[in-house]
Amino acid sequence: AQRVTQPEKLLSVFKGAPVELKCNYSYSGSPELFWYVQYSRQRLQLLLRHISRESIKGFTADLNKGETSFHLKKPFAQEEDSAMYYCALGFSSASKIIFGSGTRLSIRP
Amino acid sequence: DTGVSQDPRHKITKRGQNVTFRCDPISEHNRLYWYRQTLGQGPEFLTYFQNEAQLEKSRLLSDRFSAERPKGSFSTLEIQRTEQGDSAMYLCASSPDPGTHNEKLFFGSGTQLSVL
C-alpha cells in the first residue's frame, strides 16, 4: 500500500542544535517527495520538494530510494522553525498527493 | 489574487443534516484537491479534479460524500446525512497543470465541521 510514515509526533530541540525530521514512504513507482509546513495560524504551504534540490530556510532533504526515505534536515535550528511539518508523496502519474501524519517541531530558546 | 478561498470557515450542524462546502481555487489552476484532517493527523486525500473531471475518489470515502466542479472553476463538497465521525477540517488545495511532475499545492484555510 502507498503510505507516508513520520515516526515522530513531536520533536523538541534547542535553538542552534541540528534538526532531523524523519520521513519514510512506501511506493513501488518513481516517487516525488515534498515537505509541507504549517506555522501557527497559517495555511499549509510547500517548504521544499526533492526534484528542485533546493535549500529553503536552511532546510534540505535528500531522497534515498534505497532506504525509501526523505528526511528533512537543518544544521542549526532557529526559534521561527517551530511548526508542524508534513512529508508528502506524489505519484509518477502526477495524480494525487498523500501526506504523513506530521511532526510538530518545537525549538526551545 | 488572494489565494485559495474556502467557505464557510466554520460549520456546526446536527447529526443527519446535509452540509455543503465551497472552494474557489487560484484562477487558472487546473487541479483541485479535497482533503480531510482530524486532530493529530495529516491531511487525508478525498478526491481531486482536473478541470471539471473528477479523476480519483478515495476508496475510504463514503457514498454520503460527493464533490463537483461543474465549470472547472469552483468546487463544492457535499456531505449527506452527517455523522459525528465527519467532524474534521476540510481542506481544499489547487495547483497548476502538473504536466510530468506534481506541482506545488496551494491550500485554503479550510472549513471546520462540527457535527453534534
Side-chain angles (χ1 to χ4, degrees):
Chain A
Q2 300 145 354
R3 185 183 297 117
V4 178
T5 302
Q6 294 181 251
E8 304 138 329
K9 283 279 189 189
L10 172 66
L11 184 63
S12 182
V13 302
F14 284 106
K15 177 182 173 182
V19 171
E20 183 179 45
L21 285 76
K22 291 184 168 51
C23 171
N24 288 88
Y25 66 91
S26 174
Y27 177 52
S28 57
S30 294
E32 293 185 12
L33 274 298
F34 307 81
W35 278 98
Y36 279 79
V37 61
Q38 188 166 27
Y39 300 103
S40 179
R41 290 185 289 277
Q42 293 188 26
R43 302 179 183 195
L44 195 58
Q45 59 186 287
L46 179 69
L47 179 63
L48 57 79
R49 52 184 179 174
H50 89 271
I51 60 171
S52 302
R53 296 185 178 275
E54 58 203 344
S55 174
I56 303 294
K57 298 184 179 182
F59 285 98
T60 59
D62 292 316
L63 177 60
N64 185 324
K65 291 187 177 180
E67 296 183 357
T68 61
S69 69
F70 188 59
H71 303 327
L72 184 66
K73 300 177 182 179
K74 184 170 182 176
F76 307 104
Q78 298 172 297
E79 289 186 61
E80 54 265 33
D81 296 330
S82 293
M84 280 294 299
Y85 290 80
Y86 296 96
C87 183
L89 168 66
F91 302 96
S92 52
S93 55
S95 58
K96 66 185 179 185
I97 295 174
I98 63 172
F99 287 79
S101 57
T103 298
R104 177 169 296 282
L105 177 63
S106 175
I107 307 300
R108 291 176 283 179
Chain B
D1 194 309
T2 57
V4 177
S5 176
Q6 291 188 246
D7 184 70
R9 292 294 300 275
H10 304 275
K11 179 69 177 178
I12 300 173
T13 191
K14 292 184 179 179
R15 188 176 52 185
Q17 297 295 305
N18 299 344
V19 294
T20 300
F21 310 140
R22 177 180 170 123
C23 172
D24 287 89
I26 294 172
S27 57
E28 299 167 0
H29 276 190
N30 304 95
R31 284 280 176 100
L32 187 147
Y33 302 79
W34 284 99
Y35 289 87
R36 176 173 61 190
Q37 187 173 24
T38 54
L39 201 61
Q41 298 299 317
E44 175 194 4
F45 170 79
L46 296 180
T47 188
Y48 82 99
F49 293 84
Q50 174 77 21
N51 298 313
E52 67 274 12
Q54 186 174 20
L55 297 186
E56 186 171 344
K57 183 176 176 181
S58 170
R59 287 172 291 176
L60 301 176
L61 207 57
S62 159
D63 289 343
R64 297 183 296 105
F65 287 71
S66 62
E68 294 182 342
R69 195 182 183 196
K71 297 182 180 179
S73 56
F74 74 92
S75 176
T76 58
L77 177 68
E78 181 183 18
I79 309 174
Q80 296 181 327
R81 305 181 302 282
T82 53
E83 301 173 357
Q84 288 184 328
D86 297 332
S87 295
M89 175 72 80
Y90 289 83
L91 295 169
C92 176
S94 70
S95 78
D97 194 326
T100 56
H101 294 289
N102 288 282
E103 283 292 339
K104 169 182 176 180
L105 298 184
F106 293 79
F107 280 86
S109 298
T111 294
Q112 181 67 54
L113 173 65
S114 298
V115 182
L116 305 179

